[in-house]
Amino acid sequence: MRVAIAGAGAVGRSIAQELVAGEHQVMLIERDSGQFEPHTVEQAEWVLADACELASLEEAGIQLCDVVIAATGDDKVNLVVSLLAKTEFAVKRVVARVNNPANEWLFTAAWGVDVAVSTPRVLAAMVEEAVSVGGLVQLLTLRQGQANLVEMTLPDDTPWAGRPVRDVKLPRDAALVTILRGGRVIVPQADDPLEAGDELLFVASADVEPQIRAAFAQS
């Protein structure tokens, strides 16, 4: 993929390094000359410009990017970058960093945001996921709240151990997409048996999450 990152602070550079390691083409856009440090991520393309300016984005070639990540420390800037990327340049996927949780409600499709990442929410979800067994934990909100990525770990005494995936009666707007078992990532097939300790990842609309819980409460 070709990815543009607005903001070359610690967060932006860290994201760039991860993406470069994954062999993606990365462009870092930074308006502060004090943070313009191409030597920190040499494999990335660096652009000294204001990502809130339409002409700067066009000159940088943002229209050629598959993904834009608004990763600055200013929520107002991230919203403007997201809106411009989506409405002016039709970027397929826009991810925005939420610095202040109080502003999270703004990061929606109306501002061009496909995925909003709030550090406090992600950390809370990770803590919850680490200590919760048998419960449903929301890890990530997708498509402006239309669906969530949620996780459930089957307890040691689960009645579902040994039973095939096909026996799980999930609601219509939910899908089991991955089973994490030890070090393995399993794309579930109908005949695959479940095991105690399995981490099940679902994509589901928020209103059917209680039905997912109910499905695994039944034996």
Side-chain angles (χ1 to χ4, degrees):
M1 294 186 299
R2 180 168 174 78
V3 183
I5 303 172
V11 172
R13 291 197 303 270
S14 295
I15 296 169
Q17 288 166 348
E18 292 289 335
L19 290 171
V20 165
E23 299 185 351
H24 298 293
Q25 291 180 286
V26 178
M27 175 173 60
L28 277 160
I29 305 173
E30 176 56 54
R31 66 180 178 182
D32 183 356
S33 58
Q35 292 199 112
F36 193 79
E37 301 176 327
H39 66 277
T40 58
V41 191
E42 293 181 347
Q43 303 93 326
E45 175 187 353
W46 285 70
V47 177
L48 183 61
D50 187 345
C52 290
E53 294 182 355
L54 194 62
S56 296
L57 293 176
E58 186 171 9
E59 186 175 345
I62 204 96
Q63 65 274 13
L64 302 176
C65 293
D66 302 295
V67 180
V68 166
I69 302 174
T72 79
D74 188 325
D75 285 345
K76 297 187 294 296
V77 171
N78 291 342
L79 285 171
V80 172
V81 171
S82 298
L83 185 64
L84 291 177
K86 183 64 71 173
T87 60
E88 298 294 331
F89 299 101
V91 175
K92 296 177 183 177
R93 194 74 165 166
V94 177
V95 180
R97 172 188 177 189
V98 184
N99 296 278
N100 184 347
N103 296 330
E104 194 170 348
W105 65 277
L106 286 166
F107 286 73
T108 66
W111 280 93
V113 179
D114 292 309
V115 178
V117 181
S118 170
T119 301
R121 172 173 287 193
V122 170
L123 289 175
M126 292 301 101
V127 170
E128 208 177 337
E129 190 271 338
V131 300
S132 177
V133 174
L136 203 62
V137 179
Q138 186 181 120
L139 300 180
L140 186 66
T141 298
L142 307 170
R143 303 298 296 180
Q144 303 85 47
Q146 295 175 27
N148 297 321
L149 178 67
V150 294
E151 184 266 356
M152 173 183 286
T153 300
L154 296 181
D156 291 340
D157 60 351
T158 178
W160 288 92
R163 296 181 61 181
V165 168
R166 69 155 63 87
D167 285 358
V168 182
K169 305 303 181 185
L170 292 175
R172 179 177 180 180
D173 293 330
L176 174 61
V177 293
T178 304
I179 300 173
L180 304 179
R181 181 178 298 157
R184 298 174 59 202
V185 177
I186 301 169
V187 178
Q189 306 298 317
D191 292 330
D192 290 341
L194 297 170
E195 294 182 9
D198 280 354
E199 293 181 54
L200 311 179
L201 297 182
F202 304 88
V203 173
S205 59
D207 56 350
V208 302
E209 289 178 18
Q211 296 175 49
I212 298 175
R213 294 188 187 93
F216 283 90
Q218 302 168 359
S219 59

